Amino acid sequence: KNIRKSLNRYSQYWYWDEIIQEAVWAWASEIEDTAQFFLNQKVDNVTGKLKDSIYVVVDEYGDLAIKSKHRAARLIDKGGPSPFPDWRKGKKESEKIREYAGYYGMEPFLLARAIFRNQPFAEATNFAWHAAYHHKDDIKDEIYAIAKRRKEEGY
């Protein structure tokens, strides 16, 4: 009778969803740090805003997403063409170009042209995927440890 109860519990999707969610949350901050590390290897992090904008989200099913509030993060991660940035005064985008031009000590138009010509993000960096993949075995080990602990606790 107890064996049947245990088998029924371990075969329930909700049970494994809870375990997976707990395991992923246990590694979320390390995954976030790793994503930031991989990003820093690919881009010149002038202000730190891009790196600091990266965060990890885990939903109720244990699905992991590495996200960012920074406008350029998706383009840098997935890759794609960079449009010619607007460098003129009064435009929302031009504020950022002007800010970065100041960091590099150049005219905003020259920075905008360099971005367009060089296409620095045409090739994907995949920093988010690499960070998640880097911790794949850690999450597997955590799932095993949680399942074992729950079994011992009689959950």
Side-chain angles (χ1 to χ4, degrees):
K1 187 175 181 180
N2 287 338
I3 293 173
R4 183 180 304 142
K5 185 178 177 183
S6 294
L7 287 174
N8 284 340
R9 175 168 298 248
Y10 294 130
S11 66
Q12 299 293 318
Y13 290 117
W14 63 266
Y15 180 80
W16 288 106
D17 285 344
E18 285 179 3
I19 290 174
I20 292 168
Q21 182 183 28
E22 185 178 337
V24 173
W25 268 123
W27 283 93
S29 66
E30 286 83 359
I31 294 168
E32 187 176 299
D33 292 342
T34 304
Q36 292 172 346
F37 173 78
F38 285 139
L39 175 64
N40 278 342
Q41 288 185 324
K42 299 290 185 174
V43 297
D44 184 16
N45 196 1
V46 177
T47 64
K49 292 177 186 175
L50 177 60
K51 179 182 83 82
D52 294 340
S53 74
I54 294 176
Y55 61 99
V56 172
V57 176
V58 182
D59 69 11
E60 66 270 14
Y61 304 109
D63 291 336
L64 167 83
I66 300 171
K67 298 187 171 237
S68 173
K69 297 174 186 165
H70 196 285
R71 285 179 44 177
R74 181 173 173 83
L75 180 63
I76 293 168
D77 188 38
K78 307 294 183 203
S82 298
F84 198 105
D86 197 340
W87 72 96
R88 297 169 293 186
K89 286 184 180 177
K91 303 287 184 177
K92 184 179 179 183
E93 187 179 66
S94 70
E95 293 172 21
K96 291 293 178 191
I97 291 296
R98 291 181 174 287
E99 177 185 355
Y100 281 90
Y103 292 129
Y104 290 115
M106 60 192 314
E107 291 296 319
F109 171 75
L110 296 176
L111 177 60
R113 186 176 66 182
I115 290 170
F116 182 71
R117 284 185 177 170
N118 295 335
Q119 293 294 315
F121 311 123
E123 185 177 324
T125 62
N126 296 312
F127 66 86
W129 182 87
H130 288 295
Y133 188 78
H134 183 77
H135 291 285
K136 176 183 65 156
D137 291 334
D138 298 326
I139 293 170
K140 283 182 186 178
D141 293 344
E142 191 73 25
I143 289 169
Y144 176 76
I146 292 168
K148 185 177 177 183
R149 185 188 77 232
R150 284 186 175 196
K151 181 181 175 191
E152 290 168 358
E153 293 172 351
Y155 184 80

